[in-house]
Amino acid sequence: MLVAWPSQALFCAVVLPAMASSSKVFAPLALFLLLLLGSTAADLSTSFYSSSCPRLFSTVKSVVRSAISKEKRLGASILRLFFHDCFVLGCDASVLLDDTPTFQGEKTAKPNNNSLRGFEVIDQIKNAVEKACPGMVSCADILAVASRDSVVILGGPYWDVKLGRRDSRKASFSKANKDIPPPTLSLSKLISKFSAKGLSTKDMVALSGAHTIGQARCTSFRGHIYNDTNIDASFAKTRRSNCPRTAGSGDSNLAPLDLRTPTHFDKSYYNNLINFQGLLHTDQQLYNVSGFISSVVKAYSGSTHTFFSDFVSGMINMGDIRPLTGSEGEIRRSCRKIN
């Protein structure tokens, strides 16, 4: 979990011994702290593969563009894969691992089961990258780059992706169930989920803007359209037509997360919130007329530049969550299984 205060406390612990008369105290402590901290996002670099795999970006983009040209929804699916990966053990491609008789992955956890998509696209990218640069590029980095390219191809902002992550040799079914925010959370609990990963409230609001693309299943928004009062009546009626109140009926029926431009990455998601037309309960929790979070929603609804800028910052911050670097983890030959 990335939070601000432990690093500050550790910094203080280093400074005080350095002022002591004996340097013998400092050296072992400094070594201990370095081992304790381990790898950090500081080990990542936008030029990590500039020599070892110069064709990485063009290779990834080609496959992503081809996939999205066949099904635009896949752009949102790939972006969601990255989110669900980073929120569990960190951005380490653990979400891509298949279950085996002796290994339980994260794919069948409640937030992921029969919901996450795009694994085949990541497989295609991995195969293409392996042909260009065998054994060099991690699945974790491939997912990070593919997420960026998905946003750009659908009309969103470009950013330089920090790279150098390695792939996890483990997964956590329990953490996937616990750490990925469900669509039923209150605003305070939603803030806590993001804060636990070192992400600010503004990061949360900006990253929620990823819901300007993609679709959701009836099971994800049924409670909001039937039980909540902070929803436009006409919008609720429209959504109810394809999502029956009774659980088990129409559970997998889909609705666009963005009412207006579901396949274009833009700021209309925030306009939807202001009109109380957010599809998920957690979407509409971001806007209740007054307060700081509502003011951020208003700012994004009025400025594509402001939204894009903060979304990029949020994606970079999310991509910094607990990366494996150096000799940690591995570079998988297949994204679906440990070497």
Side-chain angles (χ1 to χ4, degrees):
M1 181 172 65
L2 295 181
V3 289
W5 63 264
S7 61
Q8 294 167 353
L10 289 172
F11 176 74
C12 293
V14 171
V15 172
L16 292 176
M19 295 185 293
S21 58
S22 173
S23 62
K24 294 181 180 179
V25 177
F26 175 69
L29 181 58
L31 178 60
F32 169 75
L33 290 173
L34 286 172
L35 292 172
L36 181 64
L37 287 170
S39 65
T40 67
D43 296 318
L44 304 179
S45 166
T46 57
S47 59
F48 189 84
Y49 297 108
S50 59
S51 298
S52 59
C53 192
R55 293 166 53 196
L56 170 64
F57 296 118
S58 60
T59 301
V60 174
K61 188 173 184 178
S62 175
V63 178
V64 174
R65 186 182 296 280
S66 175
I68 291 176
S69 70
K70 296 172 184 173
E71 184 188 357
K72 289 189 181 298
R73 185 186 171 201
L74 279 171
S77 299
I78 292 169
L79 182 58
R80 186 165 179 250
L81 273 179
F82 186 55
F83 177 87
H84 282 227
D85 183 41
C86 293
F87 256 65
V88 181
L89 298 176
C91 307
D92 60 0
S94 60
V95 74
L96 303 178
L97 291 169
D98 285 341
D99 285 1
T100 73
T102 58
F103 179 88
Q104 185 176 38
E106 298 164 11
K107 291 183 177 180
T108 57
K110 187 175 180 179
N112 300 337
N113 195 33
N114 298 319
S115 177
L116 287 185
R117 308 170 69 249
F119 296 108
E120 294 79 8
V121 180
I122 301 302
D123 292 339
Q124 292 168 19
I125 298 171
K126 178 63 172 175
N127 291 337
V129 170
E130 283 297 303
K131 290 178 181 178
C133 320
M136 297 302 302
V137 182
S138 68
C139 298
D141 278 344
I142 284 173
L143 186 52
V145 176
S147 297
R148 187 272 311 276
D149 288 348
S150 295
V151 170
V152 173
I153 290 167
L154 292 175
Y158 176 93
W159 66 96
D160 292 323
V161 179
K162 292 197 287 185
L163 301 168
R165 302 171 189 81
R166 288 169 65 84
D167 298 323
S168 175
R169 293 191 180 99
K170 60 183 180 180
S172 179
F173 178 87
S174 62
K175 277 187 170 292
N177 279 319
K178 175 178 175 288
D179 290 359
I180 297 171
T184 54
L185 287 184
S186 66
L187 180 60
S188 61
K189 289 182 179 179
L190 189 62
I191 292 171
S192 295
K193 288 286 187 183
F194 277 76
S195 178
K197 301 301 175 182
L199 298 171
S200 70
T201 300
K202 182 175 281 189
D203 287 333
M204 177 191 74
V205 182
L207 290 171
S208 295
H211 286 177
T212 187
I213 53 176
Q215 301 185 61
R217 296 185 301 166
C218 171
T219 52
S220 297
F221 59 85
R222 177 182 280 128
H224 180 50
I225 63 174
Y226 284 104
N227 303 326
D228 290 347
T229 57
N230 60 339
I231 184 171
D232 175 76
S234 177
F235 173 71
K237 182 179 180 180
T238 299
R239 293 281 74 90
R240 288 171 185 169
S241 67
N242 194 43
C243 182
R245 181 190 289 270
T246 305
S249 177
D251 286 0
S252 295
N253 292 352
L254 299 172
L257 286 159
D258 180 348
L259 179 67
R260 291 169 174 78
T261 55
T263 60
H264 186 69
F265 198 99
D266 57 23
K267 64 182 179 64
S268 66
Y269 165 80
Y270 299 101
N271 296 322
N272 295 338
L273 300 187
I274 290 173
N275 291 320
F276 295 94
Q277 295 174 340
L279 182 64
L280 306 181
H281 172 82
T282 43
D283 288 333
Q284 200 56 58
Q285 286 289 294
L286 301 180
Y287 185 77
N288 286 300
V289 181
S290 62
F292 168 73
I293 293 177
S294 293
S295 71
V296 176
V297 170
K298 289 179 181 177
Y300 293 163
S301 72
S303 172
T304 296
H305 173 77
T306 301
F307 165 45
F308 279 10
S309 177
D310 287 354
F311 180 80
V312 165
S313 295
M315 286 296 291
I316 292 171
N317 291 338
M318 186 170 72
D320 284 348
I321 298 176
R322 297 180 61 187
L324 300 176
T325 60
S327 60
E328 297 176 305
E330 65 183 14
I331 304 297
R332 289 185 210 143
R333 290 186 289 272
S334 165
C335 292
R336 292 177 177 266
K337 60 184 181 181
I338 299 164
N339 291 345

